[in-house]
Amino acid sequence: MFYGLFLLSEMDAKLKGILYYSMAHLHQFERPDQYEPYLLKAIAEYPEFPSYHLNLGRYYISNENIEKGKLYIKEGLLRVKECFNEASPLEFEISLYTFIDEEIGGLYMFEETYKEYEKMSL
């Protein structure tokens, strides 16, 4: 465990956010009481990624904390960098960094997905 703490202290904010986000999803079903705290840690470390806010918003809505959930979803949508659709996909170089920004961070998303979240926030 000491080794893990050493690594955490060496990480930048983006990596810490990804780690906490991953931990949230690891615990989502087996230890659901840890889901919210890890998402909150991910947001505290690296609030730039929409996925952290959107997942927490969906969590709150599913647990009948509708207004709080809507706020997190709205915040997440404000952080989406760009939307695309199948007719006009975004042009960017495929790399580990774009994968992280798109798949983990949610900076880029399909227009349909954006609209679904937008409906949730109303």
Side-chain angles (χ1 to χ4, degrees):
M1 187 65 149
F2 178 73
Y3 181 71
L5 292 176
F6 174 73
L7 287 177
L8 188 62
S9 69
E10 297 294 315
M11 291 180 181
D12 66 9
K14 187 174 188 176
L15 287 177
K16 284 181 186 177
I18 291 168
L19 175 66
Y20 290 135
Y21 180 71
S22 299
M23 293 299 293
H25 284 281
L26 177 67
H27 291 302
Q28 185 175 6
F29 300 108
E30 299 212 5
R31 294 185 60 206
D33 60 311
Q34 294 298 307
Y35 186 70
E36 177 190 19
Y38 276 116
L39 282 177
L40 289 169
K41 285 181 180 184
I43 290 169
E45 283 296 333
Y46 196 74
E48 288 82 3
F49 276 166
S51 293
Y52 304 166
H53 302 274
L54 297 172
N55 281 273
L56 190 56
R58 289 177 65 180
Y59 169 80
Y60 285 136
I61 288 171
S62 71
N63 287 290
E64 299 187 22
N65 196 340
I66 308 297
E67 292 309 311
K68 193 171 188 178
K70 287 180 180 183
L71 290 174
Y72 275 95
I73 288 176
K74 286 177 185 175
E75 186 63 35
L77 291 177
L78 288 174
R79 295 169 187 281
V80 172
K81 209 176 211 180
E82 232 175 305
C83 290
F84 58 100
N85 58 44
E86 291 183 28
S88 60
L90 292 175
E91 298 292 326
F92 50 77
E93 181 183 325
I94 300 300
S95 71
L96 177 61
Y97 302 108
T98 56
F99 173 81
I100 290 169
D101 289 349
E102 180 183 352
E103 292 296 319
I104 296 173
L107 289 176
Y108 311 102
M109 66 176 52
F110 280 105
E111 192 172 27
E112 297 82 26
T113 305
Y114 186 92
K115 288 178 182 178
E116 287 174 25
Y117 278 115
E118 202 170 37
K119 285 179 190 174
M120 293 172 89
S121 71
L122 300 175

